């Protein structure tokens, strides 16, 4: 019974995030100067860039369990049904629609904490979760490649940076919006 309630809560939460993102996607603007700055930093003095194909599962604690119990549950689900199916069912991240797939991300645009966690993973490996007070994120390294800077498609790299930054902002805003709703709502289970 508790598992089905948890599943319903996670499903509703994920659907609410997706709805928020659908309604607010066009309102998110990324400053061109920021993108150009990031792009120039990536290309500057580099002969090659390592790119990672990453997937993620983002979870948060619920009222009944602490985050460590949620992590244990997710690890069990990964063992039972695989990373992608677990991401689809339980991840609160917008990437859950795509079975957690974040696409190709170059090493220069990855958060330092995440980079340290994934840089030594083998293809197919899953990272230890990055924990915060109420959330945890697992990463899976699906593929890895080295791209020569002279062979990089700068338009594609810029487009990927814009998508990545937009997704970061959408994820932040939707989580913030849902957190406000949760704080203002009380659901009683009988």
């Amino acid at each position: 019974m508790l598992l089905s309630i948890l599943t319903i809560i996670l499903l509703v939460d994920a659907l609410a995030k997706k709805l928020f993102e659908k309604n607010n996607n066009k309102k998110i603007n990324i400053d061109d100067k920021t993108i150009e700055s990031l792009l120039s930093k990536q290309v500057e003095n580099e002969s090659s860039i390592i790119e990672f194909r990453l997937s993620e599962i983002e979870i948060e604690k619920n009222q009944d369990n602490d985050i460590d119990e949620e992590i244990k549950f997710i690890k069990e689900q990964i063992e039972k049904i695989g990373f992608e199916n677990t991401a689809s069912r339980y991840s609160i991240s917008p990437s859950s629609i795509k079975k957690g797939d974040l696409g190709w991300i170059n090493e220069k645009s990855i958060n330092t904490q995440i980079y340290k966690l994934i840089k030594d993973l083998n293809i197919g490996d899953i990272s230890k979760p990055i924990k915060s007070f109420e959330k945890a994120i697992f990463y899976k390294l699906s593929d890895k490649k080295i791209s020569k800077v002279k062979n990089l498609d700068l338009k594609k790299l810029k487009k990927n940076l814009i998508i990545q930054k937009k997704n970061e902002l959408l994820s932040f805003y939707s989580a913030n919006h849902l957190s406000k709703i949760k704080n203002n709502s009380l659901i009683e289970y009988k």
Side-chain angles (χ1 to χ4, degrees):
M1 176 73 174
L2 179 61
L3 183 58
S4 62
I5 292 172
L6 173 64
T7 304
I8 291 169
I9 291 171
L10 289 173
L11 180 63
V12 168
D13 196 39
L15 290 172
K17 273 190 171 186
K18 289 172 188 139
L19 179 63
F20 177 86
E21 289 169 6
K22 181 181 176 188
N23 291 336
N24 293 288
N25 191 24
K26 292 181 181 175
K27 295 178 186 175
I28 302 293
N29 292 319
I30 306 297
D31 181 34
D32 282 339
K33 289 180 183 178
T34 303
I35 296 300
E36 292 298 330
S37 173
L38 288 169
L39 188 60
S40 66
K41 284 180 185 177
Q42 289 178 3
V43 175
E44 186 178 286
N45 298 325
E46 292 287 334
S47 59
S48 63
I49 293 177
I50 299 172
E51 294 182 282
F52 302 96
R53 180 82 189 240
L54 294 176
S55 297
E56 70 177 345
I57 297 174
E58 181 178 354
I59 58 170
E60 64 184 358
K61 77 177 199 82
N62 67 31
Q63 295 173 345
D64 299 327
N65 296 330
D66 67 8
I67 195 65
D68 291 324
E69 290 177 45
E70 296 297 325
I71 288 171
K72 182 180 175 189
F73 173 75
I74 291 299
K75 286 181 178 179
E76 290 169 359
Q77 292 304 303
I78 291 171
E79 287 293 318
K80 283 183 190 176
I81 62 174
F83 190 92
E84 289 77 12
N85 290 328
T86 303
S88 291
R89 287 186 187 176
Y90 302 105
S91 180
I92 62 169
S93 172
S95 66
S96 66
I97 296 171
K98 299 181 289 179
K99 297 185 176 187
D101 184 31
L102 295 171
W104 287 100
I105 302 172
N106 77 56
E107 66 182 333
K108 301 297 181 188
S109 62
I110 295 176
N111 170 303
T112 306
Q113 181 184 18
I114 296 169
Y115 180 74
K116 287 178 183 177
L117 194 65
I118 64 164
K119 68 182 174 112
D120 296 324
L121 291 179
N122 294 316
I123 293 173
D125 286 352
I126 300 168
S127 72
K128 295 177 182 176
I130 296 176
K131 294 193 309 187
S132 65
F133 178 68
E134 293 191 6
K135 292 185 178 185
I137 303 175
F138 295 83
Y139 290 96
K140 178 181 178 183
L141 180 62
S142 301
D143 204 354
K144 188 177 188 177
K145 67 182 178 181
I146 298 175
S147 298
K148 301 288 182 198
V149 170
K150 62 183 177 186
N151 295 335
L152 284 179
D153 181 349
L154 293 179
K155 287 183 181 180
K156 183 179 177 186
L157 188 56
K158 183 176 181 178
K159 180 181 173 187
N160 288 341
L161 276 171
I162 291 169
I163 290 169
Q164 179 188 355
K165 293 300 175 190
K166 201 172 204 181
N167 285 340
E168 286 175 10
L169 284 172
L170 278 171
S171 185
F172 172 75
Y173 291 143
S174 66
N176 187 31
H177 181 71
L178 288 174
S179 179
K180 286 179 184 177
I181 291 171
K182 284 179 185 177
N183 289 339
N184 293 330
S185 303
L186 175 64
I187 300 173
E188 292 184 33
Y189 298 102
K190 295 182 181 184

